[in-house]
Amino acid sequence: QRQRDLERWIAWIRLTAVVFAVVQVAIGRDYPGGYEARAWTATAVLGVGSVVLFVLARRTWGPQGQKALGLAAVAFDFAAVSAFVLIYSFERAGPIRQLLFLPLIEGAVRYGIPGAFVLTALSAPVIAASESLRENRFSIRGYRYDYVTLQLGIELLMGLIVAWLLLRLERQTDVAESRAAEAERFRDQLGRRADVLEAANRCARALSSSLEL
């Protein structure tokens, strides 16, 4: 149930991201030749995929189907974000690489600490390629390895923090649920003992009323 609720909530966020992407592409300026068409193509693919994932998230799946859906959703989100990062590499100092934080957080929320490590590792070639494209376009500054390592380091730290907070929250939730179940068991036991005591009192009253001196 937790996974289904999470999937449906992320599906709503993904649809909101489509609207945000449409606005950002529309107000963008100084596109080089062909880049604006690529941006609209990536936005269209994001929109279609978001609708499909939204419909699939509304259905009820078994454990294996839910895992497969979650993995497909993370892969799609990472691919979509990577496409935008590479397309907008023509900007000299744009914050487009920060989009990689989104699938990173999603992976950490879904899979914990392993998800944070895997998404950070997958984003490494994307960041390196983006920096290479910028270096080819603005060759005056050269390839900045420190930009790549800085982005990866921030991603890893952020992913670990999110994963740790999620793990702590899940543990607290499990403790609360176990205590609630224990309290319910105690309540049932207390109810049964009260029933036994009431039955014993009725028997005692019936017996005492039938006694003769």
Side-chain angles (χ1 to χ4, degrees), residues 30-72:
D30 300 329
Y31 285 99
Y35 276 78
E36 186 174 5
R38 297 174 188 176
W40 282 116
T41 301
T43 304
V45 173
L46 175 63
V48 173
S50 298
V51 172
V52 172
L53 290 174
F54 180 82
V55 173
L56 294 177
R58 303 302 297 177
R59 298 182 179 180
T60 301
W61 301 89
Q64 297 301 324
Q66 195 68 43
K67 290 180 180 179
L69 178 60
L71 184 61

Side-chain angles (χ1 to χ4, degrees), residues 145-158:
Y145 292 94
D146 54 336
Y147 286 6
V148 177
T149 56
L150 177 63
Q151 175 79 18
L152 292 176
I154 294 175
E155 285 187 14
L156 181 59
L157 294 177
M158 180 180 296

Side-chain angles (χ1 to χ4, degrees), residues 117-133:
F117 277 104
V118 171
L119 266 298
T120 301
L122 291 176
S123 65
V126 178
I127 299 172
S130 175
E131 180 62 25
S132 178
L133 292 173

Side-chain angles (χ1 to χ4, degrees), residues 69-142:
L69 178 60
L71 184 61
V74 172
F76 173 77
D77 293 339
F78 179 79
V81 168
S82 299
F84 280 107
V85 170
L86 295 177
I87 290 171
Y88 280 88
S89 60
F90 66 87
E91 295 180 342
R92 180 186 293 272
I96 190 65
R97 293 181 185 175
Q98 297 177 7
L99 286 179
L100 290 169
F101 294 151
L102 299 178
L104 170 71
I105 295 175
E106 181 181 354
V109 169
R110 290 181 184 272
Y111 305 110
I113 294 178
F117 277 104
V118 171
L119 266 298
T120 301
L122 291 176
S123 65
V126 178
I127 299 172
S130 175
E131 180 62 25
S132 178
L133 292 173
R134 287 191 181 183
E135 192 273 335
N136 292 333
R137 186 172 181 81
F138 309 105
S139 57
I140 56 175
R141 69 177 189 182

Side-chain angles (χ1 to χ4, degrees), residues 7-38:
E7 196 65 53
R8 292 170 182 175
W9 174 244
I10 294 178
W12 280 109
I13 296 177
R14 193 179 292 111
L15 290 178
T16 306
V18 174
V19 179
F20 177 71
V22 170
V23 173
Q24 288 298 121
V25 174
I27 65 177
R29 297 181 301 174
D30 300 329
Y31 285 99
Y35 276 78
E36 186 174 5
R38 297 174 188 176

